């Protein structure tokens, strides 16, 4: 019995000391697709163009919409993030991955529209390592609205025009 126990203990130590393959780091596109109703593929920098004709796009944040960032030298693939809460016209909370550190998922982080026109074309996003609201201003296209949300908004608008109440 002692020999079996010792053998099992040695086997367990060998297994504990054996390196395991690291889990793949989640990318912003994978995260946004999994946590929103916007189902696009490809690099984040291409989502705005790919959404044309499939999803409504605009400059006003809505919960569940995806904020699409433009590609830059420091962000060559662009970035996408899901709006979890709208605080006001210029402040939202985002859920996203791969922003502050590779593969890191962040929820409820502040993003601020710092554009002169108030159109979300220039954004500062909370950066965890520096504990500041953005080390840089990031250019953005705007918001991609989930298809279901767009259909409901259109129905509400049409109903209001006809004097119908929900």
């Amino acid at each position: 019995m002692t020999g079996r126990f010792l053998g099992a203990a040695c086997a367990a130590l060998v297994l504990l000391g054996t390196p395991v393959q690291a889990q793949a780091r989640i990318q912003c596109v994978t995260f946004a697709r999994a946590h929103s109703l916007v189902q696009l593929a490809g690099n984040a920098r291409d989502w705005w163009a790919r959404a044309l004709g499939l999803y409504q796009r605009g400059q006003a944040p809505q919960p569940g919409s995806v904020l699409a960032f433009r590609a830059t030298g420091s962000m060559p693939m662009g970035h996408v993030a899901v709006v979890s809460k709208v605080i006001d016209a210029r402040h939202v909370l985002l859920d996203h991955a791969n922003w502050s550190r590779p593969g890191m998922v962040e929820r409820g982080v502040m993003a601020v529209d710092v554009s002169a026109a108030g159109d979300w074309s220039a954004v500062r996003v909370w950066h965890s390592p520096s504990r500041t609201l953005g080390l840089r201003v990031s250019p953005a296209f705007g918001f991609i609205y989930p298809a279901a949300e767009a259909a409901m908004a259109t129905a509400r608008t049409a109903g209001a025009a006809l004097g119908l109440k929900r």
Side-chain angles (χ1 to χ4, degrees):
M1 191 82 155
T2 307
R4 280 190 195 160
F5 177 76
L6 186 58
C10 287
L13 286 173
V14 168
L15 287 175
L16 289 174
T18 305
V20 270
Q21 186 174 355
Q23 214 175 22
R25 292 181 173 163
I26 189 164
Q27 298 295 316
C28 65
V29 165
T30 306
F31 182 89
R33 229 186 350 260
H35 293 89
S36 77
L37 296 175
V38 176
Q39 299 299 300
L40 295 170
N43 292 322
R45 67 181 177 213
D46 302 325
W47 274 38
W48 187 255
R50 288 178 187 222
L52 185 63
L54 297 174
Y55 298 94
Q56 289 186 355
R57 305 176 307 173
Q59 307 318 122
Q62 293 178 8
S65 62
V66 172
L67 179 55
F69 291 81
R70 295 177 181 273
T72 65
S74 59
M75 210 167 46
M77 296 301 151
H79 185 69
V80 287
V82 181
V83 176
S84 59
K85 182 176 183 178
V86 176
I87 303 206
D88 60 37
R90 289 202 173 226
H91 297 84
V92 299
L93 298 182
L94 298 175
D95 294 343
H96 62 165
N98 211 33
W99 182 267
S100 290
R101 282 195 294 270
M104 179 180 179
V105 171
E106 297 175 285
R107 296 185 183 276
V109 296
M110 181 67 69
V112 179
D113 172 21
V114 294
S115 66
D119 62 2
W120 287 87
S121 60
V123 182
R124 281 195 181 273
V125 178
W126 179 258
H127 182 254
S128 296
S130 65
R131 301 181 73 84
T132 62
L133 193 57
L135 295 176
R136 64 183 179 272
V137 173
S138 298
F141 291 105
F143 299 91
I144 302 169
Y145 307 113
E149 291 294 323
M152 288 177 10
T154 301
R156 281 193 297 270
T157 302
L162 296 172
L164 302 174
K165 292 185 179 180
R166 275 184 42 165

